[in-house]
Amino acid sequence: MDSRVAAGPAGAPAGRVIRVNGPLVEIEGLAGVAMSELVGLGTQGLPAEVVAIRGRSVSVQAYEYTGGLAAGQPVTAWGRPLSAQLGPELLGGIFDGLLRPLGAAPTWLDPSARRSETHRTWNWQPMLTEGVTVSEGAVLGAVPDAGGLDYRVLVPPGVSGRLDRIAAAGTYAAEDPVAAVAGCLVGFSTQWPVRRARPVRERIYTEEPLLTGQRVLDALFPLALGSSAGVPGGFGTGKTMLLQQIAKWCTADVIVYVGCGERGNEMADVLTDLADLVDPRTGRRLAERTVIIANTSNMPIMARETSIYTGVTVAEHFRDMGYHAIVIADSTSRWAEALREFSSRSGALPAEEGYPAALPSALAAFYERAGRVVTLGGVEASVTIIGAVSPPGGDVTEPVTAHTQRFVRALWNLDHELAYARHYPAVAWSGSFSRDAEQLGVWYSRNGDPEWVGRRARLTSLLAEADRLGDLADLVGAGSLPGHERVVLLAGRLLREGVLQQNGLSANDAHCSAEKTAALIDTVFAVLDDCESLIDDGVAAAEIEEIDYSPLMRAAQETPPDGVDGVAERRERMLAVLAGLR
Amino acid sequence: MTEPDAFPRAPRSLSVQYSGVAELRGPLLVVRGVSGVGWDEFATVGTTAEGAGPAPRHGVVLEVDRDLAVVQVLEGTEGLALDSTWISFSGEPLRIPVGPDWLGRTCNGRGDPIDGGPPIFGVHDAPVAGYPLNPGRRDPPADPVLTGISAIDAFTTLVRGQKLPVFSSAGLPHLELAAQIAAQSTAGVEPFCVIFAGMGLTHADADAVRATLDERSAAGELLLLVNTADDPVLERILTPRIALTVAEHLAFELDRHVLVVLADMTSYAEALREVSAARGEMPGRRTYPGYLYSDLASLYERCGRIRGKTGSVTVLPVLTMPAGDITHPVPDLTGYITEGQIVLSADVHARGIYPPVDPLASLSRLMRRGAGPGRTRKDHLDLAAQTLAALARARQVRELAEIVGASALNATDQLYLHFAADFEQRLVDQLRGERRDLDQTLDRCWDVLTVLPARELTMLPSGMVEAHTRKGR
Ligand SMILES: Nc1ncnc2c1ncn2[C@@H]1O[C@H](COP(=O)(O)OP(=O)(O)OP(=O)(O)O)[C@@H](O)[C@H]1O
Ligand SMILES: [Mg+2]
């Protein structure tokens, strides 16, 4: 077994397995174990967590396959809750749901196979001197070469006092302590129980955008740093593609990507993509600001349940260093299914569709770990959470989708019809929402884009109007609509195809700067305004419709991600063609 | 009362026979007084009564509780009585021998040869449940498996290491298509073999599949596992696992590209539901167990490639959507796990087209990794994208024509209708034994596409159309 979860205290009271039903195991004779404590099952010491205690009998959920585990086999208590080991090796790594490094694991994840131990060293740069008084959350020093950003070593929560000792600059083994504060040793890594939120000084509510690089999101349904978003959509509607784009291009400092009960091939994809991409900020690999947690659908189901907590804990760890971290979880429905499966095995009374009655509170607690805060160390930082939801049969009234909508700040609904028509990202403009939009409008007006609010309002109403007219046109034929309505239909098409659609596979278009997004939208508005005045001047709608709008439709794909100039040039060209109709 | 013949393995030294059977219920058997029996262990069940049905039978431990074990009997419990039934446990989850000896053989759904040949011995043995493949060691799927079916190779290219299901409905020729793919697919010049796992097939279907696969089987390139509709239902739970276990060994230890065809997964899911109902589990959506997603994933996820190895496992599950409903749990959850889908359509079938693929509803999400320059042909991806776009347009035109009448269409729209008909008849439609190589397929695609004027083909890079027309001359 891997040392980071195994190895309990020697001589701990030995229990016995009495019942095994898949990941649900009952044991006896472990007097004094606590809820959420870890135990090791059988001679192999399979990790499991205590989930119920009834008199002498203790129920645990096992984090590995329990095949071959028999009644009577020994159980040892490890005397600590399920915890994540948080250290500099996280950046650029891939881990399982318990945060055990998959890089050190064998090709086939046989629970009895040994994992190789890695002996790493880190460069240490102290930032304080011995004898000063420090309080919790203060930065003791940094590991400059851990990845794409400075990894900071902090005074742990709950510890303060005299800095008794601090190691001189140099190279140290990963497990060496580098400081001692009021008698407490501090190393590069720290342990934290994953189900408990790491403490902060206070939550704050000023909003600032987290740009995703996806036009439909940044312009219509924007997200603030420290906010949360749900992405429901049936299979193949583009959840994973959207989340992967955000992972690659969003403006967070640290990206935690959790593959929760999804495909192994997709994890291989994220890994290779990130390893190939150059980080525009640092010139290093983008992967070095990313932590990947992979608990694919064929890996043990209960580790899937913990993987999203592990992911948030990692994000909080980097937040506490003063960074903006984001957790991207694909898919929270698989996590909910793990909850359901376990609760049905343990005979709990089922609520909606067999999910445990605690599902809504578990979802709420998860999304509540997002937030913008002042850290214990006194700096502003945030954790943002985005979770995909996979409703069975695409039915958005099912419990996970329905409850997620209640707890997130933004909902990006992926629409099957749009995806079928290959309109990607298939974010529906009706039915999605962002509760951050208003506040972010204020931010934009103070930070150089006072038109942002008006642009969004006009975009929203134009899309709705074009949809309404489109339905009408299907009934009576577009030709019988008045000229002004026909140009609205035209503008709707330009917006959908030239602005909202974004090809995730094109180097130019995979992401888009906020300025280019604004330029594209404003171009469509300018075209529409000219069309309206042409109609006023008696030009026939058919003539306007005949024009070749492809320079505009292709502007996104044919100009670079921040290609404002290219868009402006096309705008002038389009307006000149329209002027020619007079 | 010896070890079962199907799974030759050193007998467990202290193999104890228990006879304290306390309960028989549906496919379940509860035995008391056992000790040291592990969860998910494999068991052998027999009876001392005469003529009590199949013997020995096989089972899997579903739960252990102190001295009691709940066993799911694959062949069912019919004919068993409390006092004459015995059970012995193997001491470990089910393992089967793996090796090249499986190729060229025909077995039942439990892996026992039914071709009159000798027992199958392996290089070594492996657990049928398999181990999860470390996602950090996967290589993304790449390069095509060429099926020789135009509609698939051109528009939903099957990629080595991918899982791509066929969604069908009752009455459509999905089984014929699956068998044809199994019979004629290749991985170019690289070593390739096929495992066809039939589940819940009628005898007529099973015979037809066998006939189609005969030649490839004789060439030692194919393993056929057949669980027929009247075979024990629960045996189907093992069938795909045996197929995949044999496949993983062939692919990752013997460096072959292996295509695993699983037909019909709807029958498989029904077996799973039966066990779940017998255990009195809370049924999930439409009475299927809540763990159907994870169970299906434990099969489909066994496809893939591994860094540093040359072989691959590609999985092609075939399933019938009850009442053609794509939101039914089996297609729905399959869609959530697989990387795209090939959809068969009753409308296309009604027009007499074989295979009745609906290319617009179908998608191979990994196609870009399997087709295009250096993988198939330079023009492949652009040609496919343009053809599908034209097809989508043709479909709109057809709807319009239904309202206004075909004669009211303009000349270009008329051409689109012409294109759509050509597309089905000259490109999609092919004979059941016909293997089209990729060049033939793509050339036909050009032929039907260039019915349309060049100005309509805006998705093709300039020069490509001219280059093609020159070539055609
Ligand atoms: N932005 C995009 N640009 C281009 N193609 C896209 C885009 N988004 C989705 N697609 C296409 O849709 C396919 C399915 O997308 P994706 O895998 O993200 O769906 P999903 O919602 O995650 O499905 P599942 O629930 O099955 O995991 C992709 O393989 C790709 O072909
Ligand atoms: Mg996905």
Side-chain angles (χ1 to χ4, degrees), chain B residues 135-420:
Chain B
R137 294 288 156 86
R138 280 184 187 267
D139 224 358
D143 300 319
V145 170
L146 292 174
T147 63
I149 307 284
S150 290
I152 296 176
D153 290 346
F155 307 111
T156 52
T157 312
L158 181 59
V159 185
R160 296 176 202 166
Q162 181 181 22
K163 41 199 174 297
L164 187 63
V166 174
F167 284 9
S168 184
S169 310
L172 299 185
H174 45 269
L175 207 59
E176 288 88 330
L177 178 62
Q180 185 177 356
I181 292 172
Q184 66 185 34
S185 291
T186 63
V189 294
E190 298 190 37
F192 183 80
C193 58
V194 178
I195 301 182
F196 191 105
M199 288 163 280
L201 304 188
T202 63
H203 280 272
D205 282 342
D207 288 341
V209 167
R210 208 174 284 152
T212 309
L213 299 181
D214 233 11
E215 200 176 317
R216 190 153 221 172
S217 178
E221 293 177 352
L222 181 124
L223 160 64
L224 176 61
L225 299 168
V226 208
N227 162 279
T228 52
D230 57 351
D231 278 340
V233 171
L234 300 198
E235 217 174 77
R236 282 177 213 161
I237 292 176
L238 274 187
T239 311
R241 293 184 163 81
I242 292 173
L244 289 159
T245 305
V246 174
E248 281 173 347
H249 180 263
L250 290 169
F252 302 125
E253 284 175 54
L254 303 179
D255 299 331
R256 291 171 209 240
H257 297 290
V258 189
L259 173 66
V260 181
V261 180
L262 306 171
D264 174 325
M265 289 306 292
T266 310
S267 305
Y268 168 85
E270 277 156 7
L272 211 60
R273 176 165 68 175
E274 206 168 310
V275 183
S276 172
R279 300 196 66 196
E281 287 169 349
M282 230 324 261
R285 217 171 172 84
R286 307 221 208 152
T287 72
Y288 284 88
Y291 46 80
L292 184 59
Y293 172 86
S294 296
D295 189 277
L296 290 176
S298 75
L299 302 176
Y300 300 154
E301 272 295 312
R302 290 175 78 175
C303 68
R305 303 195 315 146
I306 298 178
R307 260 191 279 139
K309 307 218 177 212
T310 50
S312 64
V313 174
T314 308
V315 176
L316 188 94
V318 178
L319 51 92
T320 41
M321 303 183 277
D325 177 8
I326 201 166
T327 68
H328 181 277
V330 179
D332 184 53
L333 295 178
T334 296
Y336 270 123
I337 304 164
T338 53
E339 290 137 345
Q341 66 281 333
I342 297 168
V343 179
L344 304 191
S345 141
D347 287 347
V348 181
H349 181 62
R351 289 196 287 272
I353 304 295
Y354 171 89
V357 174
D358 176 354
L360 288 181
S362 305
L363 175 71
S364 166
R365 297 195 196 172
L366 307 180
M367 179 158 165
R368 299 178 63 89
R369 299 185 178 284
R375 306 196 192 281
T376 51
R377 226 171 71 174
K378 213 169 78 209
D379 55 348
H380 188 165
L381 290 173
D382 291 319
L383 180 61
Q386 175 65 76
T387 309
L388 289 179
L391 199 61
R393 171 81 194 275
R395 203 164 277 189
Q396 285 173 351
V397 171
R398 187 143 59 196
E399 280 164 19
L400 189 65
E402 273 161 22
I403 304 174
V404 301
S407 52
L409 297 175
N410 66 29
T412 310
D413 284 351
Q414 304 266 11
L415 284 176
Y416 270 101
L417 288 187
H418 184 68
F419 156 77

Side-chain angles (χ1 to χ4, degrees), chain A residues 18-22 28 65-71 94 102-103 105-110 233-236 239 261-265 268-269 271-272 294 296-299 301 304 334 337 340-341 350 353-354 390-393 395 420 422 505 554, chain B residues 36-40 62-66 93 131-141 161 163 167 248 252 279 282 285 290-291 293-294 297-298 301 303 306 326-327 331-332 335-339 341 360-363 365 368-369 388 395 458:
Chain A
I18 55 171
R19 176 169 168 244
V20 188
N21 176 0
E28 256 180 18
Y65 168 67
T66 52
L69 190 67
I94 176 168
L102 282 168
T107 301
W108 299 100
L109 300 174
D110 171 356
F235 70 77
K239 298 180 292 297
E262 289 287 319
R263 304 171 179 85
N265 281 338
D269 250 10
L271 268 178
T272 38
T296 55
S297 56
N298 55 341
M299 287 165 75
I301 184 163
R304 193 195 293 174
R334 308 302 166 217
E337 277 165 18
R340 174 172 69 185
E341 164 154 10
E353 299 204 7
S390 316
D395 167 14
Y420 181 84
R422 312 278 203 260
L505 306 168
R554 291 195 186 151
Chain B
V37 172
W39 181 74
D40 208 23
L62 292 183
E63 181 170 342
V64 293
D65 190 353
R66 297 183 171 83
Y131 295 114
L133 178 53
N134 182 342
R137 294 288 156 86
R138 280 184 187 267
D139 224 358
K163 41 199 174 297
F167 284 9
E248 281 173 347
F252 302 125
R279 300 196 66 196
M282 230 324 261
R285 217 171 172 84
Y291 46 80
Y293 172 86
S294 296
S298 75
E301 272 295 312
C303 68
I306 298 178
I326 201 166
T327 68
D332 184 53
Y336 270 123
I337 304 164
T338 53
E339 290 137 345
Q341 66 281 333
L360 288 181
S362 305
L363 175 71
R365 297 195 196 172
R368 299 178 63 89
R369 299 185 178 284
L388 289 179
R395 203 164 277 189
T458 53

